[in-house]
Amino acid sequence: MYNSISKWEMEVILNSIYNGIIAINNKGIITIFNKAAEKILNIKAEDARGKYIKDIVPNTRLHIILKTRTAEIDQQQIVGNTTIITSRIPIIDGDGNLIGAVAIFRDISELKKLANELTNLREIESMLKAIINSTQDAISVVDEHGKGILVNPAYTRLTGLTEKDVIGKPATVDIAEGESMHMQVLRTGKPVWGVAMKVGPNKKEVVVNVAPIMVDGKLKGSVGVIHDISEIKRLNDELDKAKKLIRHLEAKYTFDDIIGESEIMQTIIEHAKKIADTPATVLLRGESGTGKELFAHAIHNQSKRRHNQFIRVNCAALSDPLLESELFGYIEGAFTGAKKGGKKGLFEQANGGTIFLDEIGEIKHNLQTKLLRVLQEKEIVRVGDTRTIEVDVRIIAATNVDLEEAVKSGKFREDLYYRLNVLPLYIPPLRKRKEDIPLLVEHLIRKYNQEYGRSVEKISEEALKILVEYNWPGNVRELENIISRAMINMKYVENVIQEKHLPILENNKYFLNDEFGEKSVLTDDNYVYKTLKEIIEDKEKEIIKHILKKTGGNKTEAAKKLGIAIRSLYYKLEKYEL
């Protein structure tokens, strides 16, 4: 077949090839020098053919290939001002005789130039990312399709959402209340300014500015800057709550807020949803810290009463006389200091809604009698009055007390026990559903990212293993405190909770590694009267004092070192009276 190709045809084929080709005979004389070789090496073929290869290409290795009979593939070579990639191959006939050698090469100078330009672009990209990541403003960027392509650490601290939650996801993924301004800008091509909305799982109140990204006149996406406006409102709300001994609020949690995919939790959640559809009294049982109040909120929000009041009463927080007057109200002159005109009780205020009686096992006998009347007769009598008032209230009660034992010992009325125990719901301790711990930790990291202004992304496998192996006598509330403390212990630049950030958890006791080089053991002797929350607050106060001392009292610098907003620092200084 090859014998049928003429010399002219062979030349046409060789000159049509993009790669340069040089062939020599077994004496090193050039026999083939195609058009691409002319262009790449800037040497005319007529000046090269018939010449010794080294006279034309001084740094060639084709003559060495004749000696070694070994191919050299994809070698880089500089020829004049040109960089080439070349493969040198010996030509051997069927009888093993060396006929010559051939070099096939291509110019990569332009590719090197493009590679350098790409490197420069990457450096610019890295610089821009560093600038975006160092700003205190929360920034999010989406492409022309509304998919997230970039968020900075300030965004994570504000919203509680990490890159994994946002990148590649629709622009609406972070919206808790309101319309996505990213999508509006992508529709209209016009910027928007000062739009109020709520973002993230904790519904952070923010104001957003969003502008289109135009490249060569084409819309390529949009960039949003998010400003937190919730701090002042939060402080005001906390001040109001601190003035109240009893929280009077609407239910803010639903079953979607209950974290748990274990079989036991899924069964309980399904049972609670069925309970919610009935008007019957519910008794939530379980150890302290298991989340009984969360279920009370969720049951109310799932019920037909969800549009009416939800009132929570901590029965252990008030003395008997005060609790009685708060629950049932009083008439004018009922006792010294009674308000003129009297006062409605919480049962009246909750009419048509739900009242949540937390720690029901702590109320005394006289109140138990009055509560029984509410359950049996659906009516109450104000303190100092004889007139009955009808009320339509659903009661959800909760206790960690062994009511059966309390009934046996005479501390709790048996008839009231049976009235309360119509629909019992047992919330399991955390040690019975350890498979939920990874989900709970992920949720708590998001929660405390917002509260502490941090950008923690996850927990390490080693640290998570420690949490899973611990017995959790304080249940979910204790887990909240541990994660809270771990994130407080982390440096501002750290974004993964490691084993070193956790207290040592052994035999249901905490061994706390002091930030300043000391180690303290929490035993019954030195911490018997402190809750875990109080211990963490003590440590937070100690760290703030230490940082303030280091910064010479400079609060702005201290806030930076602590990784929190200056407003948050002033709040903590007031809280700890520093």
Side-chain angles (χ1 to χ4, degrees):
M1 179 180 72
Y2 296 106
N3 292 336
S4 64
I5 300 176
S6 67
K7 182 179 179 182
W8 176 82
E9 288 173 323
M10 181 63 72
E11 263 194 2
V12 169
I13 293 170
L14 292 173
N15 287 331
S16 300
I17 295 173
Y18 177 79
N19 289 338
I21 298 175
I22 300 176
I24 61 173
N25 62 21
N26 57 9
K27 303 296 184 184
I29 304 300
I30 295 173
T31 58
I32 295 174
F33 199 98
N34 73 345
K35 291 285 186 184
E38 281 186 328
K39 182 178 179 181
I40 295 169
L41 303 181
N42 199 23
I43 299 171
K44 290 184 177 180
E46 61 189 37
D47 295 334
R49 291 195 189 99
K51 305 289 179 60
Y52 184 62
I53 183 64
K54 279 189 66 67
D55 293 338
I56 302 302
V57 186
N59 65 341
T60 185
R61 287 181 55 83
L62 274 179
H63 63 294
I64 295 174
I65 300 301
L66 294 177
K67 294 178 181 178
T68 64
R69 294 192 174 201
T70 302
E72 296 177 353
I73 306 299
D74 290 338
Q75 301 295 306
Q76 185 169 309
Q77 182 180 347
I78 305 297
V79 182
N81 295 324
T82 303
T83 303
I84 65 172
I85 288 291
T86 180
S87 293
R88 311 177 190 101
I89 304 166
I91 302 172
I92 300 171
D93 67 13
D95 297 324
N97 300 315
L98 181 67
I99 299 173
V102 62
I104 303 170
F105 53 92
R106 63 185 182 276
D107 184 1
I108 63 166
S109 301
E110 191 65 27
L111 290 176
K112 285 185 69 178
K113 180 182 176 182
L114 290 172
N116 289 333
E117 289 178 359
L118 182 60
T119 299
N120 291 336
L121 286 173
R122 284 175 177 164
E123 289 176 354
I124 293 170
E125 181 187 17
S126 297
M127 186 180 297
L128 287 173
K129 280 187 176 179
I131 293 170
I132 290 170
N133 288 341
S134 64
T135 182
Q136 293 302 305
D137 286 329
I139 294 173
S140 72
V141 183
V142 302
D143 63 18
E144 65 266 40
H145 305 296
K147 302 290 186 182
I149 57 176
L150 185 148
V151 294
N152 66 346
Y155 173 93
T156 296
R157 292 193 294 271
L158 178 61
T159 66
L161 299 171
T162 64
E163 283 189 354
K164 183 180 73 173
D165 299 320
V166 177
I167 302 303
K169 306 290 177 59
T172 54
V173 72
D174 59 357
I175 305 298
E177 289 183 19
E179 179 190 356
S180 170
M181 291 300 103
H182 276 303
M183 299 309 295
Q184 180 174 319
V185 169
L186 292 176
R187 284 196 305 269
T188 65
K190 297 178 180 179
V192 294
W193 307 98
V195 178
M197 61 175 56
K198 294 182 181 181
V199 298
N202 287 340
K203 298 184 178 180
K204 199 79 164 180
E205 293 185 72
V206 297
V207 167
V208 300
N209 301 326
V210 184
I213 300 172
M214 308 299 293
V215 179
D216 296 330
K218 293 183 179 180
L219 182 65
K220 290 294 184 180
S222 64
V223 57
V225 180
I226 310 168
H227 301 284
D228 181 11
I229 61 169
S230 63
E231 187 72 1
I232 295 175
K233 185 177 183 301
R234 184 182 68 82
L235 293 177
N236 287 332
D237 289 344
E238 286 189 357
L239 183 61
D240 289 338
K241 289 178 182 178
K243 293 177 180 178
K244 297 178 181 178
L245 290 172
I246 298 177
R247 288 189 340 196
H248 181 177
L249 45 84
E250 293 184 356
K252 52 184 177 177
Y253 304 114
T254 68
F255 284 110
D256 291 336
D257 296 307
I258 299 176
I259 309 298
E261 292 184 353
S262 60
E263 184 177 350
I264 187 171
M265 278 301 287
Q266 286 298 305
T267 300
I268 290 165
I269 290 170
E270 287 305 311
H271 184 45
K273 287 179 178 178
K274 293 177 182 177
I275 285 175
D277 290 333
T278 73
T281 301
V282 179
L283 180 61
L284 301 172
R285 308 288 296 269
E287 297 175 10
S288 179
T290 51
K292 296 186 290 296
E293 182 175 347
L294 199 64
F295 272 88
H297 283 250
I299 289 170
H300 172 78
N301 270 331
Q302 187 85 1
S303 74
K304 295 176 182 178
R305 298 173 179 261
R306 58 183 171 274
H307 299 300
N308 296 320
Q309 282 279 37
F310 175 86
I311 295 178
R312 177 203 183 256
V313 184
N314 187 334
C315 298
L318 301 173
S319 64
D320 280 358
L322 185 56
L323 180 59
E324 182 179 10
S325 65
E326 289 293 336
L327 285 175
F328 301 102
Y330 54 83
I331 62 171
E332 184 176 341
F335 49 84
T336 303
K339 186 190 295 186
K340 187 176 181 180
K343 178 185 174 183
K344 276 186 176 183
L346 295 177
F347 274 111
E348 287 181 74
Q349 294 179 43
N351 195 37
T354 303
I355 192 165
F356 173 47
L357 302 177
D358 198 8
E359 299 192 53
I360 190 73
E362 302 298 328
I363 64 173
K364 304 303 181 185
H365 259 278
N366 63 317
L367 277 180
Q368 290 179 28
T369 302
K370 296 194 75 169
L371 182 57
L372 181 62
R373 181 170 186 168
V374 178
L375 288 167
Q376 287 179 333
E377 309 298 336
K378 303 295 183 184
E379 62 184 26
I380 60 104
V381 177
R382 291 185 183 181
V383 176
D385 200 1
T386 57
R387 182 172 53 92
T388 60
I389 301 172
E390 290 187 1
V391 290
D392 174 22
V393 178
R394 181 184 196 174
I395 294 176
I396 300 177
T399 185
N400 58 2
V401 171
D402 186 341
L403 288 184
E404 291 77 12
E405 186 60 36
V407 169
K408 287 181 183 177
S409 63
K411 293 180 180 179
F412 202 85
R413 291 182 61 123
E414 185 175 12
D415 47 4
L416 177 58
Y417 166 75
Y418 287 118
R419 284 288 181 179
L420 289 172
N421 203 39
V422 176
L423 289 175
L425 189 68
Y426 175 73
I427 315 301
L430 187 54
R431 62 183 174 275
K432 298 289 188 182
R433 58 181 188 105
K434 288 189 174 183
E435 57 266 51
D436 289 332
I437 289 177
L439 281 174
L440 287 164
V441 170
E442 184 179 345
H443 166 75
L444 292 172
I445 288 173
R446 291 179 180 175
K447 174 184 175 182
Y448 292 127
N449 269 338
Q450 284 193 318
E451 289 188 14
Y452 300 156
R454 303 301 297 267
S455 55
V456 177
E457 295 179 0
K458 61 181 179 178
I459 186 170
S460 70
E461 291 184 8
E462 295 78 11
L464 185 60
K465 183 179 178 183
I466 290 172
L467 299 184
V468 171
E469 290 177 351
Y470 184 55
N471 209 36
W472 299 109
N475 295 296
V476 178
R477 188 178 294 128
E478 184 181 12
L479 177 62
E480 289 177 341
N481 289 332
I482 293 298
I483 298 301
S484 170
R485 176 182 171 80
M487 290 177 66
I488 290 171
N489 282 342
M490 294 174 71
K491 295 178 181 178
Y492 182 69
V493 295
E494 295 177 318
N495 57 13
V496 178
I497 298 176
Q498 304 287 354
E499 182 178 353
K500 65 181 181 181
H501 300 129
L502 300 174
I504 301 171
L505 306 172
E506 292 179 0
N507 301 322
N508 298 340
K509 291 183 180 179
Y510 295 88
F511 295 77
L512 303 181
N513 294 312
D514 195 287
E515 294 293 324
F516 313 113
E518 299 180 359
K519 183 178 181 181
S520 58
V521 181
L522 302 191
T523 65
D524 290 341
D525 296 327
N526 58 359
Y527 278 103
V528 69
Y529 298 116
K530 287 194 175 184
T531 66
L532 192 56
K533 181 181 179 183
E534 290 170 335
I535 295 166
I536 291 173
E537 286 179 345
D538 287 346
K539 180 57 63 179
E540 186 176 46
K541 179 179 178 180
E542 185 180 353
I543 291 171
I544 291 172
K545 286 174 65 176
H546 176 75
I547 296 298
L548 281 171
K549 184 177 179 181
K550 286 284 187 182
T551 61
N554 187 320
K555 296 181 179 61
T556 302
E557 185 65 26
K560 287 182 181 179
K561 287 185 178 294
L562 290 166
I564 61 177
I566 187 69
R567 294 190 300 274
S568 296
L569 178 59
Y570 276 110
Y571 165 69
K572 293 178 188 298
L573 292 176
E574 183 178 349
K575 175 182 177 182
Y576 297 129
E577 298 181 349
L578 295 176

